Amino acid sequence: YSQSVFSKNLRRYLERYGADYDLVWCQIPPNNIAADAGTFAHERNIPFVVDINDLWPEAMKMVADVPVLSDFALSDFERDAAIAYACASAAVGTSHEYAHRCLQDIPHLTVYVGGDIAYFDEGVKRYAPSIAKNDDELWIAYAGSLARSYDVATLVHACQLAAPIIAEELGKRLSLYIMGDGPNRPGLERLADEIDAPVVFTGYVDYQIMAAYLVASDILVNSLIKGAPQSIVSKIADYLCAGRPIINTGESQEFKDKCTNDGFGVNVEPEDVAELVGAIVALAHDEEARDRMGKRGRA
């Protein structure tokens, strides 16, 4: 409803003030806002850049994917996306996959989500002294949404299984720090309690506190379910700033290639507990590899 109201106001605003614009640049989603901005620009021969930050309705079908019914219910989002892309003079995306979602024969530019390294490092300097971690501890961290497309449950199971292995072979206590919140948090807390997994749920934390926890951790995990539409998610910039190795379970071929080719992480199949346990244990054993990957990511 909010997006519908905004879109109507945007149309009125553009009709009144937009005739002399040299360029219209609009983020998508929301799809209806981008469609209205693109239509206005197209009708007046004003260059229009569509800035693709997520894929709707593809992402929505992760929540509600009922054959035929979902396609019908989400058809307006599909239509508005098609209108916005058809009006585009150029497309920008946070990954190649997103930028080229607009199939028109126009310039495409990929700009990966970045981070303010100085602000990140300021947080580490400020809050690291208050984070207590012993030498016999090994920390794994996940930061971000606890929603359906992020497969944190598999990570909880994997850490529960990896903890005794790491304790026996390395003499270290494994802990999983989950920073963030979302609709799946109550279920994840019940799961962790039921299987006695070594998990700490911090809830939402200030960005700079999160930065300090990421740097204090040994391994960071980008955990997505099978079929998740996300390409390169925002948290990756923060993970790279932390200078820690990344275990990636996302299926985006673009990001999988970056993990291996740029050397900052390893890929495992989504929702595969055994493979994730193997990756955690292997990195726990190989401090040199962790340092190497972390430095490559930071660079």
Side-chain angles (χ1 to χ4, degrees):
Y1 175 74
S2 171
Q3 291 163 11
S4 177
V5 171
F6 187 98
S7 190
K8 291 175 182 176
N9 290 336
L10 175 65
R11 286 198 298 269
R12 286 196 290 269
Y13 176 89
L14 290 173
E15 290 292 342
R16 184 170 181 181
Y17 299 108
D20 295 328
Y21 283 180
D22 298 308
L23 175 74
V24 174
W25 180 302
C26 188
Q27 175 179 307
I28 185 171
N31 294 16
N32 57 341
I33 294 169
D36 283 335
T39 299
F40 170 83
H42 181 72
E43 290 173 349
R44 288 157 182 78
N45 293 315
I46 299 171
F48 174 63
V49 177
V50 60
D51 189 339
I52 306 168
N53 282 234
D54 201 354
L55 301 183
W56 287 6
E58 292 91 332
M60 295 175 173
K61 290 181 180 179
M62 298 303 302
V63 178
D65 191 10
V66 180
V68 181
L69 182 60
S70 291
D71 290 338
F72 175 77
L74 300 173
S75 60
D76 286 352
F77 293 98
E78 191 80 52
R79 179 203 64 209
D80 288 339
I83 291 172
Y85 297 149
C87 293
S89 309
V92 174
T94 51
S95 68
H96 294 320
E97 179 184 344
Y98 281 13
H100 289 272
R101 175 66 176 81
C102 180
L103 301 176
Q104 319 302 341
D105 185 18
I106 55 175
H108 294 78
L109 179 66
T110 298
V111 182
Y112 294 117
V113 175
D116 185 335
I117 294 181
Y119 185 67
F120 184 96
D121 290 348
E122 178 187 299
V124 176
K125 183 178 180 180
R126 178 180 299 175
Y127 293 107
S130 64
I131 296 176
K133 181 188 179 191
N134 296 323
D135 292 339
D136 66 344
E137 292 184 275
L138 186 125
W139 287 7
I140 295 174
Y142 169 89
S145 174
L146 303 182
R148 181 170 177 177
S149 59
Y150 296 94
D151 180 29
V152 183
T154 296
L155 178 57
V156 171
H157 278 290
C159 287
Q160 184 263 337
L161 294 171
I165 300 173
I166 290 171
E168 180 181 350
E169 297 180 357
L170 294 172
K172 293 195 173 187
R173 292 183 294 116
L174 183 149
S175 295
L176 168 61
Y177 280 80
I178 297 178
M179 292 171 279
D181 213 330
N184 283 6
R185 181 176 173 182
L188 291 167
E189 289 178 324
R190 286 194 300 272
L191 171 64
D193 186 58
E194 289 168 3
I195 66 174
D196 195 25
V199 184
V200 178
F201 292 89
T202 69
Y204 286 120
V205 294
D206 178 84
Y207 177 84
Q208 290 194 318
I209 295 174
M210 177 201 71
Y213 270 99
L214 291 180
V215 170
S217 299
D218 300 281
I219 301 168
L220 311 178
V221 182
N222 178 43
S223 195
L224 291 151
I225 64 172
K226 288 181 179 178
Q230 288 90 336
S231 182
I232 300 179
V233 294
S234 302
K235 74 185 70 174
I236 297 305
D238 304 317
Y239 281 11
L240 295 174
C241 284
R244 296 293 179 264
I246 297 172
I247 297 177
N248 169 55
T249 76
E251 293 179 297
S252 165
Q253 191 60 51
E254 181 176 355
F255 187 62
K256 288 168 69 175
D257 289 344
K258 290 197 73 63
C259 270
T260 52
N261 296 340
D262 291 354
F264 56 72
V266 296
N267 299 303
V268 302
E269 288 297 311
E271 301 182 30
D272 190 324
V273 174
E275 189 173 351
L276 184 54
V277 170
I280 290 170
V281 172
L283 282 174
H285 273 275
D286 198 340
E287 185 176 355
E288 182 182 340
R290 298 201 307 270
D291 289 343
R292 182 177 67 251
M293 291 177 183
K295 288 176 182 176
R296 291 292 295 272
R298 174 77 180 193

